[in-house]
Amino acid sequence: MRVVIFFLSIFFTILINPSFSQTSKKQMMDRYKQIVALPIEEIKNGKHSALAEAFTLDKFINFYIEYGKDHWDKKFGKTEIIEVYKDSLFFYFIKQGNYIEGKYVVNFFKVSSKDLYNINYLLLEKDSLQKQFIREVIPQSDKDKVALRKKTSIYNYTPESYTMKFEFLKESNRIKTTCKWEVDNLHTFKIFKKTYTSYYNLHAGFFEK
């Protein structure tokens, strides 16, 4: 049932998009049918590699940050990105959907081994990067300031939010990361609001000061 919904969503997306030619629509539908029908175990054994879409490093970085290891999707249920195998030229990945009917392939793609050399992509999950940013970049003085303001507030409810933006910089192999930290006071006014920017070094695995 979930796969049927998936096909319908793809069909209507293509149908209402005037930029797709009739040939492109058919090719796209045929490819999605092929990918979703692939047995995961066969992919893990190195089969069907010709069907893997080639991802550039920047496309992979942005994709992994957005979807990471665990992601909830309305169309596909819980999804996760899994490295299935590698050869001398590429790392192969699937974005795997997990639903009541079982596990199935949502995306199948490959990234150049040369591009991923010495990069620990497992650290690039959005939530993980946010926690690391808070720990390494936001000054302790600001954390103390917020703690004091929350402590002295007449309200017990002081929700806070972190709005993260990531931009991969291919020239330097860094991720420009911007974080807006806001703390409300019952949503009537901000008791703290500040934006920070730092650069995540892909090879070193930390935010540069």
Side-chain angles (χ1 to χ4, degrees):
M1 180 64 182
R2 205 65 183 177
V3 175
V4 172
I5 295 173
F6 167 63
F7 279 137
L8 287 174
S9 67
I10 295 299
F11 173 75
F12 285 117
T13 299
I14 294 173
L15 189 66
I16 64 176
N17 193 328
S19 66
F20 288 112
S21 66
Q22 290 300 320
T23 302
S24 297
K25 291 176 184 178
K26 185 178 185 306
Q27 290 175 339
M28 193 171 183
M29 282 299 296
D30 288 345
R31 173 173 172 76
Y32 275 113
K33 289 177 183 178
Q34 279 184 302
I35 295 301
V36 176
L38 292 177
I40 294 175
E41 288 305 315
E42 290 186 8
I43 295 178
K44 290 182 177 179
N45 290 329
K47 296 182 179 180
H48 312 295
S49 59
L51 292 174
E53 179 184 356
F55 272 27
T56 60
L57 181 59
D58 55 335
K59 183 173 182 178
F60 172 74
I61 295 295
N62 292 329
F63 193 78
Y64 197 89
I65 289 175
E66 180 64 27
Y67 297 106
K69 283 203 78 173
D70 295 300
H71 179 78
W72 177 258
D73 192 290
K74 292 180 180 179
K75 295 177 184 176
F76 312 118
K78 178 186 175 185
T79 65
E80 55 185 329
I81 297 174
I82 302 172
E83 180 187 324
V84 285
Y85 74 98
K86 60 183 176 181
D87 56 28
S88 59
L89 296 177
F90 296 100
F91 285 83
Y92 293 82
F93 299 85
I94 61 171
K95 181 182 176 185
Q96 176 179 280
N98 301 277
Y99 211 67
I100 299 172
E101 294 86 351
K103 299 179 179 179
Y104 56 94
V105 180
V106 178
N107 294 90
F108 179 32
F109 56 95
K110 62 185 179 181
V111 185
S112 167
S113 301
K114 183 179 178 181
D115 286 344
L116 276 184
Y117 176 74
N118 205 29
I119 293 177
N120 187 353
Y121 65 85
L122 293 174
L123 299 177
L124 299 181
E125 292 181 89
K126 186 186 297 183
D127 290 344
S128 178
L129 284 175
Q130 176 177 305
K131 291 176 183 177
Q132 186 175 353
F133 188 98
I134 293 171
R135 185 174 64 251
E136 296 180 357
V137 178
I138 296 181
Q140 186 59 45
S141 57
D142 285 350
K143 296 174 184 176
D144 293 341
K145 185 185 298 183
V146 169
L148 179 62
R149 289 180 181 178
K150 292 174 73 172
K151 184 178 180 180
T152 57
S153 171
I154 62 173
Y155 301 104
N156 293 324
Y157 183 59
T158 53
E160 55 187 294
S161 63
Y162 299 91
T163 303
M164 308 294 296
K165 291 185 179 180
F166 304 95
E167 179 186 357
F168 176 63
L169 305 177
K170 185 176 180 180
E171 299 77 13
S172 59
N173 264 347
R174 297 186 301 168
I175 300 172
K176 181 181 178 181
T177 307
T178 304
C179 171
K180 182 166 69 173
W181 185 18
E182 295 180 291
V183 185
D184 293 339
N185 201 337
L186 281 179
H187 297 287
T188 55
F189 63 91
K190 305 288 183 185
I191 63 174
F192 187 85
K193 180 179 179 180
K194 195 169 182 179
T195 300
Y196 311 84
T197 299
S198 186
Y199 296 83
Y200 182 84
N201 188 309
L202 278 174
H203 294 294
F206 59 75
F207 284 97
E208 298 172 350
K209 299 292 184 178

